[in-house]
Amino acid sequence: MKLRFAPSPTGHLHVGNARIALANWLFARKSGGHLLLRLDDTDTQRSRQDYAEAIEEDLRWLGLDWDELVRQSDRLDRYAAAAEALKASGRLYPCLESEEELAFKREQQRRAGRPPLYDRAALKMTPDQLSRAMANGKVPYWRFKLSNTTVEWQDHVLGRRAVKLSAISDPVLVRADGSPLYTFTSVVDDLDMGITHVIRGEDHVTNTGIQLDLFAALGGDPRKLAFAHLPLLTDADGGPLSKRIGSLSLRQLRRDGIEAASITGYLAGLGTSNDPAPGAPRDLLPGFDLGAVSHSSPRFDPRQMMGMNRKLLHALPFAEAAPRLPEGATQAFWDAVRGNLDTLPEAKHWWEVVQGHIAPIPQPDEAEYLAHARENLPAEPWDDTTWTAWTEALKAISGRKGKGLFLPLRRALTGEDQGPDMKQLLPLIGRARTEARLAASLQP
Ligand code: GLU
C-alpha cells in the first residue's frame, strides 16, 4: 500500500489539513504501507519555501512522519513529457479563449438556462488557425478532453460514488506559460509513484471523477487506485470552518499552548462514535478505522479540543511537563496546578503566584479578618495539612465558614478568586510570602 499526503505550500496547515494528514498516516502505519509527503508546489505564484518548511515542522510537531518527500517542482520535465503524450493521443488540446470570452459565454449559457459548460469550441480550431494566432503572439493553454462517461468508485468513507463527466467542463491542465496544474500533476505522480490509496477531503470528489479519467488516459489502471474522501469539518454552528481557519492553524494552536496530542486525539475522534481522548498518533492506531467515519460533516468545536487539552494536562506526568515548566518548578508544584490549567504555559502564572509576585486585590472590608489570619499563621514546617489547621483555627476565632472563611485568604495569597487547591498551594507559597501578602492586603 502506498499513500500520500499532498499539501500545497501556499499557507500554513490548519486543523482540516491535519485531519487528512493524520488519516493518511494512521492508514499507512496500520497497514504497513509507505507514506509520501508530496508538496504540490507547481503554482509558483502562491507556493513559498517557508510554508513548505513550516508544513514539515508542523507535521513533525503533531507526531507524524513520512517515508519519502517529493516536491512537484522537481518533476516539471516529467509533467511536460506526460503532456506531450496526451497531446499525441488527442486528449490534450490547445485553447486560446481569454478569460473574458469564457465569462461572456458562461453568461449567455446562464441566460439560456443551460449549465455553464465549456463548449469545446477550441477543438474545432484548424492547425492553420492555430498557427496564425500563434504567429500573432497568442499562446495556447491546454485542456484535457474528458471522456463521455460516468466515473464510479467505491469510496472507503462515502460509499458508492459517481461523477458524470459530460456535466463538467474540460479542465485546463497546462497554463499558457507551460506550468502544469494540480489536477494534472497529482495524477502523473499518483501513477508514477504507484499510489494505491488516496485519502483527502470531500471537496475533491469531482476532481476524483476527472482524475480517474486522466489516470486511464495516461495508461494507468483506475481499479488500482482506492479513494477515501473525508467530509469537511464545519464550525461549532454547522457553518464552513474556513472563516475561522486562521486561528485554527497548527502554528497558532501551538502558540496558544495546545498540546499536539490534544489536537490529534480530538481530530481522530471526529465523525466517529469513539469517545474522543487525547492521544499521540501512535496511540490512536488501535482505534483507527476509516470505514467507521461518518458520511456527514463533523463539527469542529475548539471548546471540546480545549477540554481534551485539560484532560491531557491533568494526566501528564511531571517528568514530561518539566522541560516546559518554569525553572525550578517541582513535582509538588505540578501536582498542585495541573488540574487547573487549560494550557501548559498557564503554569507560568501559578509559578509567579507561588514563587514570585502577585497583583494584590484590595480587601478593605476584610482588614480585621486578615489581621487575625496573620496573627494565627501556623509555625513552620508547612505541608499539605497546614491550610486545614490554619483555617480551622480561623473558623473558631471568626465564626466564619465556607466562602467567607476561604475566599479572602485565597485572594490575599494568590490575587485570584479561583485556582488550585489552597492545601497544595500554601506550602509552596511558604510562610514568609504568606505573611508579607497578608500584610500587604491590610494596607489601605
Ligand atoms: N494539493 C491538494 C490539496 O491540498 C492535494 C489534494 C490531493 O490529496 O490530491 O488540496
Side-chain angles (χ1 to χ4, degrees):
M1 296 199 180
K2 207 163 176 191
L3 291 97
R4 83 297 192 282
F5 172 58
S8 307
T10 53
H12 290 303
L13 295 183
H14 53 70
V15 290
N17 307 124
R19 178 161 175 260
I20 302 293
L22 179 63
N24 274 287
W25 188 92
L26 289 168
F27 195 93
R29 295 297 174 249
K30 198 153 181 167
S31 60
H34 190 85
L35 179 63
L36 289 181
L37 171 60
R38 191 184 82 197
L39 295 171
D40 286 358
D41 59 354
T42 54
D43 183 343
T44 49
Q45 302 283 311
R46 295 171 60 224
S47 299
R48 276 170 35 184
Q49 178 58 23
D50 57 330
Y51 284 140
E53 283 161 20
I55 286 172
E56 289 193 56
E57 195 185 288
D58 290 347
L59 290 174
R60 286 206 187 88
W61 175 69
L62 280 183
L64 303 177
D65 61 358
W66 49 94
D67 305 305
E68 202 181 327
L69 176 74
V70 179
R71 277 185 203 82
Q72 290 198 321
S73 54
D74 289 339
R75 289 176 42 79
L76 297 176
D77 290 349
R78 174 63 191 118
Y79 307 133
E84 288 313 312
L86 287 177
K87 286 177 196 174
S89 63
R91 296 296 296 274
L92 196 63
Y93 61 94
C95 301
L96 294 169
E97 295 101 324
S98 66
E99 202 31 70
E100 293 73 40
E101 278 173 78
L102 294 171
F104 179 71
K105 281 191 199 185
R106 281 196 298 267
E107 189 48 40
Q108 282 184 317
Q109 286 169 319
R110 218 170 271 133
R111 287 211 185 125
R114 280 182 285 127
L117 265 191
Y118 177 59
D119 60 6
R120 290 183 166 166
L123 270 178
K124 295 181 198 102
M125 199 166 37
T126 64
D128 226 34
Q129 285 171 315
L130 179 64
S131 13
R132 254 183 285 129
M134 287 177 70
N136 283 331
K138 283 214 170 185
V139 186
Y141 55 90
W142 301 79
R143 283 188 197 263
F144 176 58
K145 190 173 170 218
L146 289 168
S147 311
N148 189 18
T149 49
T150 295
V151 175
E152 289 184 63
W153 72 94
Q154 185 63 31
D155 198 281
H156 279 230
V157 171
L158 302 177
R160 194 100 204 124
R161 276 295 169 131
V163 172
K164 196 174 164 200
L165 297 181
S166 60
I168 302 173
S169 294
D170 288 343
V172 176
L173 299 191
V174 182
R175 295 188 188 88
D177 67 3
S179 62
L181 280 120
Y182 151 76
T183 316
F184 179 40
T185 53
S186 181
V187 177
V188 175
D189 288 352
D190 288 345
L191 184 61
D192 285 0
M193 290 162 204
I195 297 300
T196 58
H197 293 73
V198 173
I199 303 177
R200 57 186 180 184
E202 196 177 2
D203 50 334
H204 284 291
V205 163
T206 305
N207 272 341
T208 296
I210 295 171
Q211 290 180 327
L212 280 171
D213 194 35
L214 188 49
F215 198 78
L218 286 167
D221 177 357
R223 285 169 307 183
K224 292 201 177 134
L225 204 51
F227 286 88
H229 292 92
L230 300 185
L232 298 186
L233 305 179
T234 68
D235 67 15
D237 305 320
L241 197 61
S242 46
K243 286 184 285 170
R244 313 208 35 236
I245 220 69
S247 63
L248 294 174
S249 74
L250 296 176
R251 306 244 119 180
Q252 192 55 47
L253 293 172
R254 184 164 143 199
R255 256 182 240 132
D256 293 345
I258 310 286
E259 305 300 307
S262 306
I263 301 175
T264 48
Y266 182 58
L267 291 175
L270 283 179
T272 75
S273 54
N274 293 349
D275 267 345
R282 65 182 172 284
D283 305 326
L284 301 168
L285 280 166
F288 176 72
D289 176 11
L290 208 47
V293 176
S294 148
H295 295 193
S296 51
S297 283
R299 279 164 203 243
F300 181 92
D301 186 344
R303 283 165 306 188
Q304 281 177 5
M305 188 173 61
M306 198 55 110
M308 198 79 70
N309 206 55
R310 275 194 293 274
K311 207 161 158 182
L312 183 153
L313 294 177
H314 210 150
L316 192 68
F318 173 61
E320 283 178 46
R324 291 163 57 207
L325 291 177
E327 182 87 31
T330 56
Q331 167 98 49
F333 168 73
W334 179 240
D335 291 345
V337 303
R338 64 178 171 182
N340 251 272
L341 303 175
D342 281 340
T343 66
L344 192 138
E346 286 168 17
K348 195 163 171 268
H349 168 71
W350 293 110
W351 185 247
E352 254 318 287
V353 168
V354 301
Q355 294 287 306
H357 297 280
I358 61 160
I361 301 180
Q363 301 189 80
D365 300 347
E366 298 290 357
E368 192 189 347
Y369 176 57
L370 293 171
H372 282 312
R374 189 179 168 202
E375 284 149 25
N376 287 279
L377 270 184
E380 281 177 317
W382 279 14
D383 58 22
D384 58 8
T385 63
T386 308
W387 171 258
T388 308
W390 185 34
T391 50
E392 281 300 318
L394 291 175
K395 190 176 180 176
I397 295 168
S398 66
R400 293 180 179 223
K401 53 184 192 305
K403 209 169 152 187
L405 179 69
F406 301 120
L407 189 59
L409 301 176
R410 176 181 284 282
R411 284 186 167 167
L413 299 189
T414 68
E416 303 278 350
D417 285 352
Q418 278 158 14
D421 189 352
M422 288 304 296
K423 277 196 195 84
Q424 287 170 288
L425 281 189
L426 189 67
L428 294 166
I429 296 170
R431 197 176 192 281
R433 243 179 241 106
T434 300
E435 186 164 21
R437 288 179 189 176
L438 288 170
S441 65
L442 289 171
Q443 305 295 321

